[in-house]
Amino acid sequence: MHPDHRAPQSSPANRPVGRTIDPASAERRVGRHRAPEPPRRGAARSVPGRIAVATGVTCCLGLIGVAGVGEAAPPTVEVREALADRVAVEQRASRDFTRAAPPAVVPASPVPVATPSPTPARKQPPRKVVRPKHPRPVAGLDQRQMDNAKAIVDVGRDMRLPRRAMVVAVATAMQESDLYNLASDVLPESFGQPHQGSGSDHDSVGLFQQRPSSGWGTVAELMRPAYAARAFYAALADVPGWADMSVTGAAQAVQISAFPDAYAKHEKRATTVVAALS
């Protein structure tokens, strides 16, 4: 064939179908030692393939979770025993109201307590002088006489009279009754009252031998030492200038005694008694 003439090309229908053999590939397959083929990238190794696999795994896990919720695995032996103990405890608690006391909580460290500041002491009011009910006898008196003298002095103090009036009253009682609360032999009712002896000078009674018939008071009143002393002080206060008189003169102005000078001898002892009681 002439070089200028091209060989007639066969049509694709008449072209034999064959595989083109890569010389390198043929060389790898030929020979005693076969070269390893390069790894092929499957669907799981590509990016789209990885996404598909991950999606499938997630769905499977979700189905497993849903199935686990619907049907739990049977509990183990230890779980069954714990549940049985718990049911027994709850049944006992529902039947019995007895509860054990909770353990005492011990603080880790003591809480400091604030020390209150000392409050200033309040000034106490002066105490009222409390005199003994039965003062110690003085001036040769016994306890009954001293108690009667105290009743006379206490009334004078309550009436806020000067000490001079108390001396006059005690000296008068020393002369009239020797400081004893006397009943009257002519007044049987006087013996029904507390008394320390009796006298026979008409209807005179009490420490000052005051007569009920003269208007000093009733028998029961005059035989109470406090009432008799108050009646004497009221009469003494009505005597004009009594404070400037002698003890005898002041006493006689009240008592109008048949022996006016008899009171003077008791002034010293009366002064000692009043001083001990006031």
Side-chain angles (χ1 to χ4, degrees):
M1 182 178 295
H2 194 274
D4 296 331
H5 295 280
R6 296 180 181 178
Q9 297 181 359
S10 59
S11 62
N14 298 325
R15 185 180 299 173
V17 178
R19 295 176 61 185
T20 304
I21 299 174
D22 187 6
S25 299
E27 185 178 356
R28 283 195 297 270
R29 287 193 297 269
V30 178
R32 183 177 181 180
H33 300 285
R34 186 175 182 180
E37 295 182 359
R40 297 179 181 179
R41 299 183 62 183
R45 294 180 179 273
S46 62
V47 174
R50 292 178 182 177
I51 294 174
V53 171
T55 304
V57 172
T58 304
C59 294
C60 292
L61 292 176
L63 292 175
I64 293 172
V66 172
V69 172
E71 182 178 358
T76 61
V77 177
E78 292 80 1
V79 174
R80 291 194 187 97
E81 293 178 355
L83 292 176
D85 294 341
R86 180 176 178 183
V87 170
V89 172
E90 290 180 353
Q91 289 178 354
R92 288 196 302 270
S94 63
R95 292 192 301 268
D96 191 2
F97 288 93
T98 303
R99 299 291 186 271
V105 179
V106 180
S109 59
V111 180
V113 179
T115 303
S117 57
T119 55
R122 294 183 178 181
K123 188 176 180 180
Q124 298 294 334
R127 294 183 179 181
K128 185 178 180 180
V129 179
V130 179
R131 292 176 175 81
K133 184 177 180 180
H134 299 285
R136 183 176 62 86
V138 295
L141 302 180
D142 62 21
Q143 190 62 61
R144 293 181 298 173
Q145 291 172 307
M146 194 70 183
D147 291 343
N148 291 332
K150 180 179 181 298
I152 296 172
V153 172
D154 287 346
V155 172
R157 186 182 297 108
D158 291 341
M159 297 177 68
R160 302 192 178 194
L161 297 173
R163 180 175 294 187
R164 180 71 173 176
M166 302 175 195
V167 171
V168 172
V170 171
T172 301
M174 284 179 174
Q175 172 60 30
E176 297 292 347
S177 64
D178 199 14
L179 277 175
Y180 289 113
N181 192 22
L182 302 179
S184 175
D185 294 336
V186 298
L187 294 174
E189 60 180 305
S190 64
F191 288 92
Q193 304 297 325
H195 61 281
Q196 299 166 334
S198 63
S200 57
D201 184 9
H202 304 290
D203 58 346
S204 301
V205 294
L207 293 176
F208 295 90
Q209 290 292 286
Q210 296 156 328
R211 299 178 64 178
S213 60
S214 299
W216 286 94
T218 65
V219 173
E221 290 173 341
L222 295 176
M223 292 192 68
R224 294 202 304 268
Y227 179 91
R230 190 173 296 274
F232 177 85
Y233 285 129
L236 179 64
D238 289 340
V239 176
W242 69 267
D244 298 329
M245 296 180 180
S246 63
V247 171
T248 298
Q252 178 60 19
V254 175
Q255 295 296 104
I256 311 176
S257 172
F259 307 95
D261 298 331
Y263 302 104
K265 61 183 178 182
H266 302 291
E267 182 175 356
K268 185 177 181 179
R269 294 177 64 213
T271 302
T272 301
V273 172
V274 172
L277 294 171
S278 59

